[in-house]
Amino acid sequence: MDFTMGATAAKLRGELRRLITDEVPADYLGAFTDDPADLAVAQRFCATLAGRGLLCLAWPEEFGGRGASIWEQTVVREEMWAQHEPRGAQYMGVNWVGPTIMRHGTPEQQRKHLPPIARGEVVWCQGFSEPEAGSDLASLRTTARRDGDGWAISGQKIWTSYASMAQWCFLLARTSNAGRKQQGLTVFLLPMTHPGITVRPIASMLGPHHLNEVFFDGVRATEADVLGAVDHGWSVVQEVLAFERVGIARYARCERLLHAAPEVLGESWDEIPEVLRGRWARMLTRCRRARLLAYQVLSLQSSGTVAPGDAAAYRIAVTRLDQESAEVLVELAAAVPADSETRRRFRRAVHDHWRYANAATVASGSIEVQRILLARELLTAPGSGWERPATESAAGAVRSRRRQAGRVGS
């Protein structure tokens, strides 16, 4: 495996790192802090990326991208997440809202929504989870009822990131009760300025804008707001979740902070207990493992063969890495004297990483749900008795997922 991805990717990494050094303050720890200046940094940086065609690098040119490969877009993801995501909330529109509209949107929806995302001008939020429909998303109760030539939407969403600052909501609602609970669901693209939408922030240690309750009280929607086919939104959402779960390169930040620890500690590194240094080395190994899983899923995704179990295997590995590396880094940071700005900055970055990592195994589907998805795919593989599948490629995929299951489930 060539982790550098070749000369083109290396050149792109260099360009992104120079931009970050020039445009983002050295002590930046994300857009959604108590300091409004941090959000302003992200908004300016998004405009810079968009102006250079780097925000939606892998999008087709007709939608505002540069037609680059998925691997070049992966370089962008890795460099952004490693540096505390200076795109702010834009990754949501870039990683999965835009691609989903490309696949399922009407030409009018594509003309309306894709250019503003590519320019970094619009923030989206995701209206999925509800008080009684989190891990079991298909049990949601928000309803969209026929009302003349449109729809009236009522219900409640919760844990909605960025809802207080978003201009648009990617909303999942129930439009019928026929058949299984996964049937009768529809995706709507709704402006957050609609009368009848109320946003209430939820206080958390993640900072402002992250978590909110959103209430819909008879919100009007038209047929033009429906994404895909009415009552068939579940298949759209499955694609969304696959994109979302591999879209954040969590391993990149873990790896950067782990590599920084010996340099920051300097001569004191040799005084770190051997057991702790051993854990540090294991975390670096697991960073590489998570990266390999991400690349495998991205390869499958680009060929159109990704399955829920593939994304789940990666998600399990990377969220556990996020949390366990954070614990190691906290112990290492405790040994770092705060006697220079570089060392103080490292300690703040570790603390920020630890805060976010605590939510890693819940966000975008809990780790328990990911294990169920992975187990279900393994147990329903061709032959169902773990026999060798009919094709060599399928056999390779199943063997790979068996190995992943043994590793990420341990």
Side-chain angles (χ1 to χ4, degrees):
M1 168 62 72
D2 179 6
F3 280 92
T4 68
M5 299 186 195
T8 300
K11 182 179 178 180
L12 176 59
R13 283 192 196 278
E15 181 181 1
L16 291 168
R17 290 178 183 181
R18 286 190 296 272
L19 281 174
I20 290 170
T21 299
D22 294 342
E23 304 277 344
V24 180
D27 58 353
Y28 178 85
L29 291 176
F32 311 115
T33 67
D34 292 319
D35 187 350
D38 290 325
L39 180 57
V41 166
Q43 291 172 324
R44 289 195 302 269
F45 189 68
C46 273
T48 298
L49 289 175
R52 292 170 174 256
L54 295 171
L55 185 61
C56 299
L57 187 66
W59 284 21
E61 293 182 14
E62 62 265 32
F63 296 136
R66 282 169 43 179
S69 72
I70 191 172
W71 302 108
E72 290 169 276
Q73 189 67 52
T74 299
V75 170
V76 177
R77 290 171 180 168
E78 290 174 347
E79 294 303 316
M80 294 302 106
W81 193 253
Q83 298 295 334
H84 299 270
E85 192 52 84
R87 295 176 299 179
Q90 292 297 332
Y91 74 88
M92 190 177 291
V94 173
N95 284 355
W96 63 262
V97 174
T100 304
I101 292 174
M102 288 180 209
R103 291 171 67 88
H104 298 281
T106 64
E108 176 57 31
Q109 289 172 331
Q110 292 170 354
R111 286 191 295 268
K112 180 176 183 177
H113 293 295
L114 296 179
I117 296 175
R119 293 192 297 266
E121 297 174 349
V122 62
V123 173
W124 284 77
C125 64
Q126 181 192 78
F128 283 8
S129 295
E130 299 185 4
E132 296 184 19
S135 297
D136 185 15
L137 179 58
S139 296
L140 62 82
R141 298 182 179 181
T142 295
T143 58
R145 302 187 186 281
R146 285 286 187 184
D147 183 19
D149 60 350
W151 306 80
I153 301 174
S154 297
Q156 176 188 359
K157 299 294 179 177
I158 198 168
W159 315 125
T160 310
S161 297
Y162 320 125
S164 60
M165 63 184 298
Q167 291 85 37
W168 288 88
C169 180
F170 193 101
L171 178 73
L172 185 65
R174 182 163 297 284
T175 44
S176 75
N177 290 306
R180 298 167 60 241
K181 61 184 177 182
Q182 288 83 2
Q183 298 171 323
L185 300 173
T186 302
V187 173
F188 294 86
L189 308 177
L190 294 181
M192 292 295 287
T193 54
H194 249 313
I197 295 180
T198 303
V199 178
R200 296 180 186 171
I202 300 173
S204 78
M205 66 180 182
L206 295 179
H209 306 298
H210 266 283
L211 303 177
N212 303 270
E213 291 179 287
V214 185
F215 298 87
F216 300 84
D217 185 11
V219 174
R220 285 282 304 170
T222 68
E223 293 294 334
D225 299 320
V226 174
L227 181 68
V230 173
D231 289 343
H232 292 277
W234 187 250
S235 60
V236 176
V237 168
Q238 285 183 306
E239 283 186 22
V240 165
L241 293 175
F243 276 108
E244 182 185 18
R245 287 166 181 164
V246 300
I248 298 178
R250 292 177 179 271
Y251 55 83
R253 187 180 304 173
C254 299
E255 193 166 9
R256 184 180 72 84
L257 291 173
L258 287 164
H259 276 302
E263 181 179 348
V264 171
L265 276 160
E267 294 179 357
S268 301
W269 179 252
D270 292 334
E271 300 172 11
I272 297 296
E274 185 177 346
V275 171
L276 181 54
R277 280 187 286 141
R279 290 168 59 203
W280 168 84
R282 283 195 295 275
M283 289 301 106
L284 281 173
T285 302
R286 288 176 58 184
C287 284
R288 286 298 178 97
R289 188 174 74 191
R291 185 188 293 262
L292 280 167
L293 283 171
Y295 290 0
Q296 180 188 36
V297 176
L298 287 167
S299 179
L300 292 169
Q301 196 175 72
S302 64
S303 65
T305 59
V306 69
D310 299 313
Y314 165 70
R315 185 73 184 178
I316 295 166
V318 80
T319 52
R320 288 190 59 190
L321 167 68
D322 223 20
Q323 293 180 341
E324 293 174 26
S325 68
E327 295 296 332
V328 171
L329 284 162
V330 164
E331 293 185 46
L332 290 170
V336 176
D339 56 3
S340 71
E341 181 54 34
T342 298
R343 288 175 167 177
R344 285 191 290 271
R345 194 178 298 140
F346 174 76
R347 292 178 67 167
R348 290 195 297 268
V350 167
H351 177 67
D352 180 75
H353 173 56
W354 179 86
R355 287 191 303 127
Y356 277 85
N358 271 277
T361 52
V362 176
S364 302
S366 69
I367 195 170
E368 290 80 10
V369 170
Q370 306 308 313
R371 285 172 171 153
I372 290 170
L373 290 171
L374 180 57
R376 184 178 296 156
E377 185 168 334
L378 288 168
L379 294 173
T380 57
S384 72
W386 299 78
E387 301 100 2
R388 179 177 177 138
T391 65
E392 188 61 35
S393 59
V398 172
R399 284 198 300 272
S400 173
R401 287 195 288 270
R402 286 176 184 169
R403 289 193 295 270
Q404 293 164 13
R407 291 168 180 168
V408 303
S410 60

